Amino acid sequence: MTELEVLQVFCGPDGAGGNRLGVVRDGAAIPDLADRSALAAELGFSETVFLDDAQRGTVDIHTPSVQLPFAGHPLVGLAWLLRSLGRPPRTLRPAAGDVEVGFEGDLTWVRGRAEWVTARRTQRYASAAEVDALPAPPPGEGWLYAWAWRDEGAGLVRARAFPRRGDAVVEDEATGAAALLLTHQLGRSLDVRQGAGSQILTRVHPDGTVSVGGRVCRDVP
């Protein structure tokens, strides 16, 4: 039987919120792509990550319906888990490229590029209340990241995410890749409050990369 860890990634300051993540620590136990896709669909989490080579940090990321070259929430969660096991990684390697990992107190950070983010559209709304009032999902097609300033001076953003892929994930509770993309578009570091109670922190770097960070908690059954 496959050993599966379930985490909550991008938890809020009070430990609430967070997006559920499935972690298969022995990815070699499920070598077939179709079997991985089937497991991710069965679990129904926003993403499931397979650790294929613990030494090199090679990983494979799946949603319930598609394989992803990069995603923030599974990389942050996996990095935190490996650190908790006494093996903190410096680099993780999804299909998109090498991802630098860092740790600061209770925050885990991963660093990526906007061009690694698969097709997603960000849309600004006039107020956080308008974002809160959106149905899940809003009318339309394609991945939507709805956001508004809660406090522009402080870089505080209210956001909700709707994959609109036709799978089990109607609304994504916390999406690191979308926060990375928005940070790149705005050119400034952000404090994103997403979903029902999640927090995603971002930082812009001079080389054009963006770090995405947050807290991770073990899932409570």
Side-chain angles (χ1 to χ4, degrees):
M1 186 174 182
T2 303
E3 184 180 353
L4 179 75
E5 302 262 6
V6 181
L7 308 174
Q8 297 283 139
V9 183
F10 296 129
C11 299
D14 58 356
N19 199 1
R20 295 185 86 195
L21 171 70
V23 181
V24 179
R25 284 167 48 193
D26 183 11
I30 309 177
D32 187 75
L33 180 61
D35 291 339
R36 293 182 177 199
S37 298
L39 177 60
E42 178 185 348
L43 292 172
F45 302 149
S46 294
E47 278 115 15
T48 298
V49 61
F50 299 81
L51 178 60
D52 288 329
D53 187 327
Q55 281 296 112
R56 296 194 66 250
T58 307
V59 302
D60 184 26
I61 302 167
H62 290 256
T63 76
S65 58
V66 299
Q67 187 180 24
L68 295 177
F70 171 82
H73 139 261
L75 295 175
V76 167
L78 176 59
W80 178 91
L81 178 61
L82 292 174
R83 186 194 193 193
S84 76
L85 296 171
R87 305 196 306 271
R90 297 179 63 181
T91 305
L92 291 174
R93 294 181 168 90
D98 289 3
V99 174
E100 181 182 322
V101 177
F103 303 95
E104 295 175 9
D106 64 347
L107 298 176
T108 300
W109 295 86
V110 299
R111 187 164 170 171
R113 298 184 176 276
E115 56 264 32
W116 292 351
V117 180
T118 52
R120 301 182 184 202
R121 180 170 64 88
T122 63
Q123 181 173 334
R124 181 179 176 179
Y125 287 78
S127 68
E130 285 191 22
V131 173
D132 289 337
L134 290 171
E141 298 181 356
W143 224 106
L144 175 67
Y145 199 55
W147 71 278
W149 289 115
R150 185 172 282 175
D151 183 338
E152 186 171 358
L156 183 60
V157 166
R158 170 63 176 141
R160 293 174 67 194
F162 307 100
R164 298 193 295 196
R165 291 183 300 246
D167 60 25
V169 183
V170 176
E171 180 170 354
D172 206 342
E173 171 63 25
T175 50
L180 186 157
L181 180 61
L182 180 63
T183 300
H184 174 76
Q185 291 172 347
L186 296 176
R188 59 178 295 186
S189 301
L190 300 174
D191 179 347
V192 180
R193 305 303 174 99
Q194 187 177 322
S198 301
Q199 181 182 32
I200 306 168
L201 302 171
T202 67
R203 291 175 180 164
V204 177
H205 299 285
D207 65 354
T209 59
V210 174
S211 289
V212 177
R215 300 171 188 84
V216 182
C217 310
R218 289 197 178 274
D219 186 62
V220 179

